[in-house]
Amino acid sequence: MKFGEKIKNARVAKDMTQAELAQAVGVSLRTMVSYENGDCYPKKRGVYGELATALSLDVNYLLTENEEFISEAGEKYGSRGKKYAQQLVTEVSGLFAGGDMDDEDLDAVMRAITDAYWIAKEKNKKFTPKKYRKADKV
């Protein structure tokens, strides 16, 4: 579920208007509408905390849009894998959600993450045992 959907669902469940939530968080109504529409994300990390408090949510829930990835990591690698996946997603989400990095630096971080993924994938191919097949027995 996307960030905007999470906010809208939680707001509706608490029977709040967008204006009430915007006031509670300290942002404009226009900004709150943009969050819910998925047009933008909070630039300041503190806004996530304010939203979480106003909506009675865990701040990590708002920072994470990759629950499916985390669930799959848990199924495939157990609780340790799930924990590491959650940690990775939270940290990377926080990095991209706002801060002082310019677009060029953010692009470099994204390239580094992508490169690390492909290197690890290629490395894992070398160590993955071939499946035992009946044809091999003959």
Side-chain angles (χ1 to χ4, degrees), residues 13-132:
K14 287 193 72 89
D15 200 28
M16 293 177 80
T17 66
Q18 288 176 323
E20 290 169 336
L21 181 57
Q23 185 176 12
V25 173
V27 299
S28 70
L29 174 59
R30 175 180 236 160
T31 298
M32 187 58 61
V33 170
S34 292
Y35 291 164
E36 285 192 9
N37 288 338
D39 296 332
C40 69
Y41 292 83
K43 292 180 181 173
K44 296 180 183 175
R45 191 166 175 92
V47 174
Y48 287 97
E50 295 293 328
L51 282 165
T53 300
L55 297 170
S56 304
L57 299 172
D58 183 328
V59 71
N60 289 325
Y61 172 71
L62 293 178
L63 289 170
T64 307
E65 290 187 351
N66 298 305
E67 291 87 5
E68 187 175 331
F69 165 71
I70 294 166
S71 298
E72 287 177 10
E75 290 171 15
K76 198 169 188 178
Y77 303 108
S79 61
R80 191 177 210 179
K82 184 175 182 176
K83 176 184 167 190
Y84 288 145
Q86 176 67 53
Q87 203 171 8
L88 175 67
V89 169
T90 300
E91 289 174 11
V92 171
S93 296
L95 174 70
F96 287 106
D100 299 329
M101 291 180 77
D102 61 23
D103 286 344
E104 188 175 307
D105 290 338
L106 288 172
D107 289 344
V109 169
M110 192 62 205
R111 277 192 300 277
I113 291 169
T114 304
D115 290 346
Y117 167 78
W118 288 113
I119 290 168
K121 188 169 182 163
E122 191 61 35
K123 200 175 197 182
N124 286 337
K125 278 184 184 178
K126 294 177 187 174
F127 299 106
T128 303
K130 292 183 180 179
K131 294 190 180 191
Y132 185 76

